[in-house]
Structures are given as structure tokens and as C-alpha cells.
Amino acid sequence: PLGAAAHPTLCPPAGSRAMSAAEDTEWLRWVTKQFGTIAGEDKEIDLEEFKTALQVKESFFAERFFALFDSDGSGTISLEELLKALSLLVHGNETDKLRFLFQVYDVDGKMMKNRLIRCKVKVKPWGRWVPGSDLLSPNKGSGSIDPDELRVVLGWCLRESAIALPEERLGDLTLALFEAADKDHSGSITFEELREELEAFPEVMENLTISAASWLKPPLKPPVPTERSCRPRYLTRAYWHNHRSKLTFLGGYAALNLLLFTLAALRHAGLSGWLAVARGCGQCLNFNCSFLAALMLRRCLTWLRATPIAKVLPLDQHVQFHQLVGYVVLVLAAVHTGAHVANFSRLARQDGRHALAEYLLSARPGVGGLGGTASQTGLALQGLLVAMLAFSSPCVRRSGHFEVFYWTHLSYISIWTLLILHGPHFWKWFVVPGCLFMLEKVVGLAWRRAGGLRIVEVNLLPSKVTHLVIERPQFFHYKPGDYVYLNIPAIATYEWHPFTISSAPEQQETLWLHIRSLGQWTNKLYEYFQQPEWPSSEPKPLSRSLREKRRRRWVQVGANRAQLLAKAECYIDGPYGTPTRRIFTSEHAVLIGAGIGITPFASILQSIMYRYRRRRQSCPSCHYSWCEDLWDEEMTLRKVDFIWINRDQKHFEWFVSLLTKLEMEQAEQGPGGQFLEMHMYMTSALGKNDMKAIGLQMALDLLAAKEQRDSITGLRTRTQPGRPDWSKVFGKVAEEKKGKVQVFFCGSPALAKVIRGHCEHFGFRFFKENF
């Protein structure tokens, strides 16, 4: 467990959790081997080396572990001391491990005094120990835990889990755990009392049986999709079922290209092999360059989502297919150009009168293209295609140079123009998608010319999320989960960026957008609306002159904000559909949002509750209310599981008020009417299998049960520490048998791969949000 980034580690292999007896023994041998590397020539590990090796966020637990391992109190740990302590924890029984946990919490002596001073904890003399007394050993403790000790340890547990709570809440946590554990009301917790309290938490007792190697292991990176359980199994029935439309489409696309190439090549096979290859690639280019435009007909694709075609075609992956076809075009263009160059080189050698450069750079009748300019327009097309694809790469788009991508991508106008001049038959392929593409552009320009939209309100959240409230156009109709392209000229004149609408369609007056600051444009947006800090309220009375100055400052700040809102006129283009439109036609929907990926589900959850209100019936006599059956053509949902995964506490502020309202709506329904179940996860918090967090999680559970609300979010739903165990989560969903399960995800691609693998294992349909 004593792993260090700068030198060999003493931790078990990445991904290991509970270890077998044989693995424990082997691990102890490996610790012995690595000890010398960490300890150095003195064959001892001091506290600083121990802290570095353990890689904990805060030093408190490293100091406690070190003190308990240092049995002779020498200030260093020898190999003998380390192996003796680890052997006891690895091979010891449940009581041995529980006693070690108790000793971690039994903080007395100098260490307790220093921690109390550092944490600014007010100490009461409990009759057994008074700060400043050095009679007790700093590592052995007194044999019982008093409220001050518990408060200090829980405070460091909170810091280790990156949870920020007011001082009074820390007191509430301490009181909840202390009152529950102090069975005899003696004012301190004994070992037997702690054991009795832990037995009320079966999952904690289960974690105590885990090897000490897992207890003391440094924090591991998030699970990656290389785990065997998460790898896509391409030859399984579940995989093919979940990807049938995509695979069928790719197969048809490849077959069509092969057919077009073969037919065109055969027609010119008698002239030259190089010419046959060039003509075959040219025919494929006619199709693919037109198909590129068809794949970005967002309005047409949104309309198709409401038709039965959406069940056959993979409309959700149209952006990915657009990128794929772009690379295919580049390859076909390179082969097409190379084959023509080889053919021109052959012709130059045969006649001997014209050099290869003349064939490439001079217009020649019979070569092709308008006025024999096929060679020149072809070379220009090749250059434009290379530039467009080079500046369309993710590293360019996400590095703060979006305008480079935007302006080079506008060269599609030049490319299509040159293609019409270059290929005599291209216009036949392009006429339909080209006309539709131009029609969509005209509609978009008409929206803009109709006038900008007023930003009614701006809320800047501490987690660097900009909440925009925009007036809703009169004839703007959208579905839950749809997105729009947003342009704010005050930020960047030509940049349009896609953002999910986080308000429900039933909200008639305004649109909501929640925009997280991740790139150059989004950071500029947040900074643009930032205002000077509001004057802090001072407890002492103010003179008349100071009150007047403060009043003028408030007026000035309000005027500045009003001026910014007046200038921040915005334009939207959309709405455009997403995979989440399928949610209302599901039977059992599992919505998984990671971070700001909650935005499409915020709109959906609000819409669900609006529909519930419309169907609510009430008895005029007893005022009992219930909801009519929701099974209709608009919404066939029987159950919704909403899972929100956040990195830390502050990010829950985005939609905690909305989730609170949803919980209240659910509470008003009878037991049969509650079909929305919420699950909150905070990845920075130490999991329940981490010994450092056992006491904190017990305290949080006890306080949540007492107050009927979670201390982290304020919701009734308890926030779970760490990452979800997807096998358990989906196993529970499968056991409920509420109908066919469809999983909808919005978040990072890495997590999407993990969830997709588990969905295939359970036979669930998986849909990922794509822009």
C-alpha cells in the first residue's frame, strides 16, 4: 500500500480489490522486497517518507497509521514493525481489523492537541483528558473515544472526501454518531460500543473483511474500459442487437461504395488500369461528397426522428458518420489524384512532347472538367480537403482556436463549386442534398434576420457554470432533451456552439441554457457577465456617508449588469433532436448524467412532472390526489431511474433546486404514483470500502435518517460516495422487471464505453448523447 509516484511502490497491482490468502502472502513478500528501495540505507521509514508513499490527500490519516505501526515510538518504522502490523491486518480476524479502526479514531496526547489547535476546535474537559496533558502515549490512545476526538477525526474525513460543511453541520454529524454509539451514555465510546454500532451497518462490516492491502492502497484512477467486464464483446448477440442499425448502415454504405467503384472502373477498364482506378474513385467521390451534405441536414434529420425511419437508420450517430465519410473522401481523393498523375506520367512518356507538369498545370481539351481544367481544379480540391480535415481535428477545435476550424470549414462552398466544375456528373448527385442544405441555411438566416433574442437573466454559479435565461420565440417548439446552436455577438461574432436546452417545453416564456466553462468561448461568456463583488454586510452601524456610498455602489452594480444584459443579444439556431427523444416511448428508462451531462435530463424530468400535474386528479371531499394512468401514445414510461455522477460537492448546485421540487412532487403522490428514483454519486468522496471513510459515512447515514435529508445536497436522496458499481445498479434494474430497459447517457466517452459494456451484458439498449 505504500505506493509513491517517484519511486517503486508497495501497492498491489492496479484494479485489485479484495485479495485471497495466497495473494496476501505474495503481497507481503513483495512489500519486503520493495521496502529497501523506499527505506534507503538506514533501513527505516520516517513519517515524511511514509506520507509520500501513502499518497493521501491530507496528512492526518498518514500520521495515525504511522503512529500505530511505530510500536516502539522511535519515530521511524522498521521492516519488522511494518510486517508485524501488516501481517496482523492481513491475516487477522474481523476483531483485529475493527480494533485497528478504533485505534485510528482514539486520538489522544500531543497529536490530539495539535489537531485541535489546527482545526480550531473548542475542547471541553470530559474528566478523562485535558488538552496539554502528556501523560498518555501519542500513539496508543486512552481506550475510548470522546466527542472532541470524534469531531476532529470526522473533520479530517470531510477534508479527505473534499466535502465542505459548515462548522455546525460537523457538530451535528459528531452528535449523531456519538449518540448512536454511546450506548451507556457515559460520555465516551468504548471498543465494544463501536462494534455494536457497526453491526447495524452490514455493508461496513463486510468492508472490514477486505484485506488491509485495499485499506491502505493509494487512490486509484477511475475504472477504465480496459477491464474485462467492460470490454465490448463484438461477437455476442447482445452487441449485435444493440448496434444492428449502425452495423447494417455501415455494411450498406461499404457495399454501395464498392458497387459504384466496380461499375465505373469496368466502364474504363479497356483504356488504362490507372484510369479505371481514377474513374472508380471519382464515382465514389460523387456520392460521398454529396452524402457529406446530407449527413448535416440537422432539421431534416430532426424531422426524421419522429418517423418510423428512426428505428432503422442510426440517426443518433450522424456526426460520427459525417466525420467518417470525411476521412473516406480524403482517401478516395488521394487515390483518385495519384491514379490520374500516374496516368498522365504514362501519357507523357508515350508522346514525348509534353512534360508531366503540362498535363497537371495546363488546361487541355479532352482531359475533363469545364474547359479542360480537371487537373487544375482537382489539385485545388485536394489542397482544400487536406486543409479542412487538418483543422477539423479535435486538438484544433478544443485548443481555443475554434475560429480556425470555422473559417476553414466554410471552404465547403468552394469545394462544391470546384466539384461542379471538375466532374461532369457531380451535379446529378448533389442537386437534392444541395438544395435541402441551402434551404436549411436560408431558414437559419431568416431566424437571425427576424431579430436577436433578449437574455432575461444570467446566473453565475460558483462551479463556473453560466445559467442563461433567454426569452422564448413565439413559434419555437421543441422536445425535451433537444439542443440549439447559440451565437452571442458580444462574445464572438461568427461562432455558434451547441448547448442542450435545460428547461421543459411546457415552460412557455423562457428557455434555459446551462453552460459549463470548459473552452475559450465558454470562459469568455462567464467572464463577460462577472460583476464586482457585492458589498459585504458589516455588523457594525454605518454612518450616513458610508450608507450613501454603499447605496450608490449598489445602484452602479445594478446599472452595469443591466447594460451587459442589454448588449448581450443572442441568436439561436434549432431546435435539433437527440437520442433522448426516445425516452418517452420507453418502458423503463435509466438516465445517466455525468457532471454537466445532466442538462438534457433536466429538461426531461421537468417535462415528466408537468405531465403528471396535468393528469393529477383530486377528490373534492377528502382532497386525496392521484395520477391517472400515464400509458398513452405520448409517454409509455413505467419507471425512471435517474443517476447523476459528480466529481465534487459544489457541482450539485447546478440543478439541486430542480431535484428538490421533483422529490416534493413525488412525495405528494401515493406509494403507487412514485415512479422516479434518483441516485446521486460523488466521486471525490471516499467510498465505504475505504477505512478512512467508515465513520464519516456512518455519521452521514445516521444524520440523513434523522433529518430526512442528505447533508451534502439537501435532498432526501442520500448521496453515495465514490463511483457506481454498475453491475449492482443494472442488476437491481433488471430485477424490477418494469418493462424493456433503455439506458440514456450524457457524459465523457470513456465512461460511455464502460456503461455500454455493462448494458450489453444485461441486454439493455444503450443511447449516448451526441453533438
Side-chain angles (χ1 to χ4, degrees):
L2 308 179
H7 47 69
T9 63
L10 297 183
C11 63
S16 64
R17 299 189 185 276
M19 299 166 65
S20 65
E23 289 173 329
D24 282 333
T25 304
E26 180 61 30
W27 174 71
L28 286 174
R29 291 197 197 100
W30 193 62
V31 168
T32 304
K33 180 180 178 181
Q34 296 296 331
F35 182 86
T37 306
I38 295 178
E41 297 180 358
D42 59 358
K43 305 299 182 183
E44 301 275 343
I45 293 179
D46 60 24
L47 179 58
E48 292 306 316
E49 289 173 324
F50 190 83
K51 288 180 182 179
T52 303
L54 202 58
Q55 297 182 38
V56 292
K57 298 176 185 176
E58 304 288 351
S59 61
F60 174 81
F61 290 101
E63 292 177 29
R64 287 303 298 145
F65 296 156
F66 183 87
L68 294 172
F69 288 170
D70 181 17
S71 58
D72 60 4
S74 63
T76 60
I77 300 176
S78 65
L79 177 60
E80 181 182 358
E81 288 176 317
L82 179 64
L83 291 179
K84 181 180 178 181
L86 292 181
S87 296
L88 178 65
L89 292 175
V90 169
H91 300 299
N93 56 28
E94 181 182 291
T95 301
D96 295 327
K97 297 175 182 179
L98 180 57
R99 192 171 295 279
F100 179 80
L101 171 65
F102 181 84
Q103 290 175 335
V104 170
Y105 278 62
D106 185 11
V107 186
D108 285 301
K110 293 180 180 179
M111 186 177 184
M112 176 66 177
K113 177 182 177 182
N114 294 336
R115 289 297 174 190
L116 290 171
I117 294 173
R118 190 177 304 180
C119 294
K120 299 180 180 179
V121 176
K122 296 181 179 179
V123 181
K124 298 178 181 178
W126 293 91
R128 184 179 51 82
W129 174 79
V130 178
S133 174
D134 294 331
L135 299 176
L136 298 173
S137 170
N139 60 334
K140 296 304 181 184
S142 62
S144 61
I145 304 171
D146 66 31
D148 293 322
E149 294 174 275
L150 188 60
R151 184 186 181 98
V152 169
V153 178
L154 290 181
W156 283 97
C157 287
L158 289 171
R159 295 182 65 172
E160 190 81 14
S161 291
I163 300 175
L165 294 180
E167 195 68 24
E168 58 270 18
R169 295 302 291 168
L170 174 59
D172 294 338
L173 284 173
T174 304
L175 184 62
L177 181 55
F178 193 86
E179 287 182 343
D182 184 17
K183 307 296 182 182
D184 58 2
H185 306 289
S186 63
S188 63
I189 302 172
T190 64
F191 173 74
E192 293 301 327
E193 288 176 326
L194 180 63
R195 178 206 288 271
E196 184 180 350
E197 181 60 24
L198 281 171
E199 288 175 352
F201 295 83
E203 69 278 6
V204 174
M205 296 302 292
E206 179 184 350
N207 290 330
L208 282 173
T209 64
I210 297 176
S211 165
S214 296
W215 279 6
L216 303 177
K217 210 166 39 175
L220 295 176
K221 294 181 179 179
V224 293
T226 55
E227 298 176 8
R228 182 172 298 178
S229 62
C230 298
R231 288 178 181 172
R233 290 166 289 179
Y234 300 106
L235 299 180
T236 62
R237 181 178 179 182
Y239 178 85
W240 288 93
H241 175 75
N242 211 29
H243 297 80
R244 60 183 183 272
S245 60
K246 176 182 176 181
L247 296 173
T248 302
F249 180 82
L250 285 174
Y253 171 74
L256 180 58
N257 274 281
L258 181 61
L259 178 63
L260 292 173
F261 179 88
T262 302
L263 293 176
L266 289 176
R267 285 200 301 269
H268 299 85
L271 300 177
S272 164
W274 289 116
L275 187 60
V277 172
R279 296 300 186 190
C281 290
Q283 187 74 313
C284 291
L285 284 168
N286 285 336
F287 162 68
N288 282 279
C289 290
S290 302
F291 192 41
L292 274 174
L295 287 170
M296 297 310 292
L297 297 174
R298 299 181 187 273
R299 284 185 170 82
C300 294
L301 294 175
T302 298
W303 175 78
L304 286 175
R305 289 179 187 275
T307 68
I309 296 178
K311 298 180 180 180
V312 180
L313 296 178
L315 301 179
D316 301 337
Q317 287 86 32
H318 72 99
V319 175
Q320 285 81 353
F321 284 128
H322 176 80
Q323 296 169 345
L324 171 65
V325 175
Y327 288 116
V328 171
V329 165
L330 184 62
V331 172
L332 288 173
V335 176
H336 176 75
T337 301
H340 271 307
V341 170
N343 186 54
F344 289 151
S345 179
R346 179 184 64 84
L347 293 175
R349 288 196 305 270
Q350 286 181 354
D351 62 24
R353 293 178 298 172
H354 303 284
L356 175 61
E358 294 184 49
Y359 280 96
L360 296 177
L361 303 178
S362 302
R364 298 175 61 84
V367 172
L370 184 65
T373 59
S375 299
Q376 295 77 52
T377 54
L379 292 174
L381 283 166
Q382 188 70 47
L384 288 173
L385 286 172
V386 170
M388 178 184 284
L389 266 73
F391 292 110
S392 299
S393 61
C395 63
V396 173
R397 297 185 63 178
R398 297 173 184 172
S399 62
H401 299 288
F402 182 85
E403 66 279 1
V404 176
F405 158 78
Y406 177 81
W407 288 110
T408 54
H409 227 66
L410 280 181
S411 62
Y412 66 78
I413 300 173
S414 301
I415 289 175
W416 285 336
T417 302
L418 289 172
L419 281 170
I420 293 173
L421 299 177
H422 178 80
H425 303 291
F426 173 72
W427 68 271
K428 301 175 184 177
W429 294 87
F430 184 68
V431 61
V432 174
C435 289
L436 290 174
F437 187 86
M438 293 304 297
L439 180 61
E440 288 204 358
K441 288 296 181 183
V442 169
V443 172
L445 288 174
W447 268 100
R448 179 159 187 169
R449 287 187 175 277
L453 300 175
R454 185 169 58 93
I455 298 178
V456 178
E457 184 180 346
V458 177
N459 298 309
L460 299 180
L461 305 181
S463 52
K464 295 209 75 175
V465 168
T466 307
H467 174 203
L468 297 181
V469 180
I470 305 170
E471 65 174 342
R472 181 173 175 176
Q474 184 177 1
F475 301 105
F476 187 85
H477 303 290
Y478 65 98
K479 300 290 185 181
D482 285 359
Y483 69 97
V484 295
Y485 276 84
L486 175 68
N487 170 259
I488 301 180
I491 308 299
T493 306
Y494 301 104
E495 293 189 21
W496 293 77
H497 296 271
F499 298 105
T500 304
I501 303 172
S502 52
S503 55
E506 290 82 358
Q507 188 172 315
Q508 299 294 331
E509 302 298 326
T510 57
L511 296 172
W512 288 4
L513 299 179
H514 283 76
I515 302 171
R516 188 180 179 187
S517 299
L518 285 176
Q520 187 181 46
W521 189 90
T522 52
N523 279 316
K524 284 183 178 180
L525 177 69
Y526 190 87
E527 294 167 1
Y528 179 81
F529 287 110
Q530 272 186 323
Q531 292 291 332
E533 293 184 359
W534 291 88
S536 58
S537 56
E538 302 173 14
K540 60 183 181 180
L542 295 176
S543 65
R544 180 176 300 178
S545 59
L546 287 178
R547 287 199 301 268
E548 182 62 24
K549 289 180 180 179
R550 174 174 291 182
R551 187 192 66 79
R552 287 199 297 267
R553 184 180 175 191
W554 284 337
V555 171
Q556 183 61 40
V557 169
N560 291 341
R561 176 167 295 179
Q563 290 176 4
L564 286 176
L565 288 175
K567 293 179 181 178
E569 188 178 60
C570 70
Y571 301 89
I572 60 174
D573 181 21
Y576 298 113
T578 64
T580 52
R581 284 195 172 190
R582 304 171 186 247
I583 288 175
F584 289 92
T585 58
S586 306
E587 294 177 345
H588 189 168
V590 180
L591 317 181
I592 305 174
I596 200 65
I598 186 184
T599 47
F601 305 132
S603 173
I604 289 161
L605 293 174
Q606 290 179 85
S607 185
I608 288 174
M609 300 319 297
Y610 272 115
R611 299 182 188 200
Y612 256 88
R613 291 184 194 129
R614 288 202 304 264
R615 290 164 172 76
R616 181 180 299 168
Q617 301 294 324
S618 180
C619 176
S621 301
C622 63
H623 302 291
Y624 173 77
S625 63
W626 71 94
C627 271
E628 292 181 341
D629 190 5
L630 289 174
W631 190 276
D632 57 27
E633 60 180 9
E634 291 185 1
M635 188 165 72
T636 59
L637 281 171
R638 298 176 181 175
K639 176 70 185 299
V640 176
D641 280 282
F642 171 63
I643 302 172
W644 191 11
I645 309 166
N646 263 321
R647 183 173 65 253
D648 49 40
Q649 180 184 4
K650 66 181 180 180
H651 292 95
F652 284 105
E653 70 184 3
W654 296 335
F655 293 101
V656 71
S657 59
L658 165 64
L659 299 180
T660 301
K661 292 178 182 178
L662 294 177
E663 283 189 332
M664 293 174 63
E665 292 276 354
Q666 288 281 286
E668 292 177 6
Q669 307 298 325
Q674 298 181 16
F675 86 126
L676 171 63
E677 189 172 346
M678 294 192 288
H679 314 265
M680 306 292 147
Y681 291 89
M682 181 173 159
T683 59
S684 68
L686 299 176
K688 292 185 177 181
N689 64 342
D690 192 312
M691 188 204 63
K692 300 188 293 294
I694 287 177
L696 174 61
Q697 294 304 325
M698 287 173 55
L700 288 170
D701 285 341
L702 288 167
L703 192 59
K706 178 181 179 181
E707 299 180 345
Q708 295 297 307
R709 67 185 182 96
D710 183 60
S711 296
I712 297 175
T713 62
L715 298 171
R716 297 187 180 185
T717 303
R718 173 77 166 87
T719 302
Q720 299 299 319
R723 293 174 173 79
D725 185 333
W726 296 112
S727 296
K728 290 184 179 180
V729 170
F730 289 150
K732 180 177 178 295
V733 169
E735 291 174 359
E736 292 179 354
K737 296 182 180 179
K738 295 290 186 177
K740 292 183 179 179
V741 178
Q742 293 187 332
V743 178
F744 300 85
F745 172 76
C746 186
S748 69
L751 183 57
K753 291 180 181 179
V754 175
I755 297 175
R756 183 189 294 273
H758 286 284
C759 287
E760 290 167 6
H761 174 75
F762 284 92
F764 300 160
R765 292 295 305 277
F766 175 81
F767 301 96
K768 180 182 180 298
E769 189 79 19
N770 295 294
F771 284 139

